[in-house]
C-alpha cells in the first residue's frame, strides 16, 4: 500500500472556528477523517499531520525525501514567504516524491500578499479554492497518475 503524507501548516489546527466564511466549518479532526477515508477508498495509507512550527514541517518534508513518500502540503502562511520550506520541497524531486500544494481557499482571490507562492514552482501540481475537497482531489491525482 502506498503511503502519502498530508501536511498542514500554521493555524490549520483552528479549522472550523478560524474564519469559517473563508475556510469552512470542517475541523482539523474532520479533515483527518476525510483524508484517511479517501485514502482507504483509493488503497492508500494516508498520514495526516498539522504543525504551527516551520522547523517541524521541514523535518516532515525531509522524512518524505528520505522515505521517498508523496506529499500533499497545505503550507498555510508559509506558502507566501518560507524559502526554507521551499528548499526542503525542492529536494523531493530528487527522490521522485511528488508534491501537491493544496489551499482550502483561493489565495488568488484574496489579499495581494497571498497571490505569490514560493512553493508552487517546486510542486508537481497546485489545487486551490475547493475547500477541504481539494485534499481528496490531490489524493486522487496522486493515485491516478
Ligand atoms: C491557506 C491560504 C493561506 O494564504 C493562509 O495563510 C492559510 C490557509 C488555505 O488553505 O487557503 O493559512 O493555505
Amino acid at each position: 500500500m502506498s503511503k502519502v503524507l498530508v501536511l498542514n501548516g500554521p493555524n490549520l489546527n483552528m479549522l472550523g472556528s478560524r474564519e469559517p466564511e473563508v475556510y469552512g466549518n470542517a475541523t482539523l479532526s474532520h479533515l483527518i477523517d476525510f483524508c484517511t477515508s479517501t485514502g482507504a477508498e483509493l488503497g492508500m495509507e494516508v498520514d495526516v499531520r498539522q504543525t504551527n512550527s516551520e522547523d517541524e514541517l521541514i523535518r516532515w518534508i525531509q522524512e518524505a525525501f528520505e522515505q521517498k513518500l508523496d506529499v500533499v502540503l497545505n503550507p498555510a502562511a508559509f506558502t507566501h514567504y518560507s524559502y526554507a520550506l521551499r528548499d526542503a520541497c525542492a529536494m523531493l524531486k530528487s527522490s521522485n516524491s511528488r508534491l501537491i500544494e493544496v489551499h482550502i481557499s483561493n489565495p488568488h482571490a484574496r489579499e495581494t500578499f497571498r497571490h505569490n507562492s514560493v512553493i508552487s514552482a517546486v510542486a508537481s501540481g497546485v489545487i486551490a479554492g475547493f475547500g477541504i475537497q481539494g485534499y481528496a482531489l490531490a489524493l486522487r491525482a496522486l493515485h491516478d497518475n
Side-chain angles (χ1 to χ4, degrees):
M1 195 188 265
S2 63
K3 181 173 167 181
V4 179
L5 296 187
V6 177
L7 306 180
N8 293 282
N11 298 304
L12 293 169
N13 56 316
M14 301 305 288
L15 279 178
S17 51
R18 173 193 183 197
E19 299 181 84
E21 67 287 2
V22 177
Y23 298 110
N25 295 310
T27 61
L28 178 63
S29 124
H30 182 113
L31 175 67
I32 292 169
D33 290 348
F34 178 62
C35 291
T36 310
S37 62
T38 303
E41 273 170 39
L42 298 170
M44 301 162 109
E45 186 191 338
V46 176
D47 182 351
V48 189
R49 307 178 191 174
Q50 187 279 331
T51 181
N52 293 323
S53 152
E54 188 178 23
D55 168 55
E56 191 168 31
L57 197 50
I58 289 169
R59 284 174 196 277
W60 289 342
I61 298 288
Q62 292 172 354
E63 179 185 329
F65 167 77
E66 278 162 0
Q67 297 183 19
K68 301 184 186 308
L69 303 176
D70 289 330
V71 178
V72 173
L73 172 66
N74 185 341
F78 293 145
T79 307
H80 312 299
Y81 67 89
S82 176
Y83 297 121
L85 182 61
R86 178 207 163 104
D87 283 350
C89 290
M91 272 193 308
L92 291 174
K93 267 193 188 140
S94 52
S95 69
N96 288 326
S97 299
R98 294 166 299 170
L99 171 73
I100 313 278
E101 178 184 344
V102 169
H103 300 282
I104 295 168
S105 68
N106 175 4
H108 300 285
R110 301 180 61 197
E111 301 96 318
T112 314
F113 77 88
R114 296 186 202 275
H115 295 181
N116 185 50
S117 166
V118 300
I119 307 297
S120 297
V122 294
S124 314
V126 181
I127 297 170
F130 296 104
I132 67 163
Q133 197 64 41
Y135 292 80
L137 295 172
L139 291 170
R140 281 182 201 283
L142 290 173
H143 175 262
D144 294 350
N145 290 286

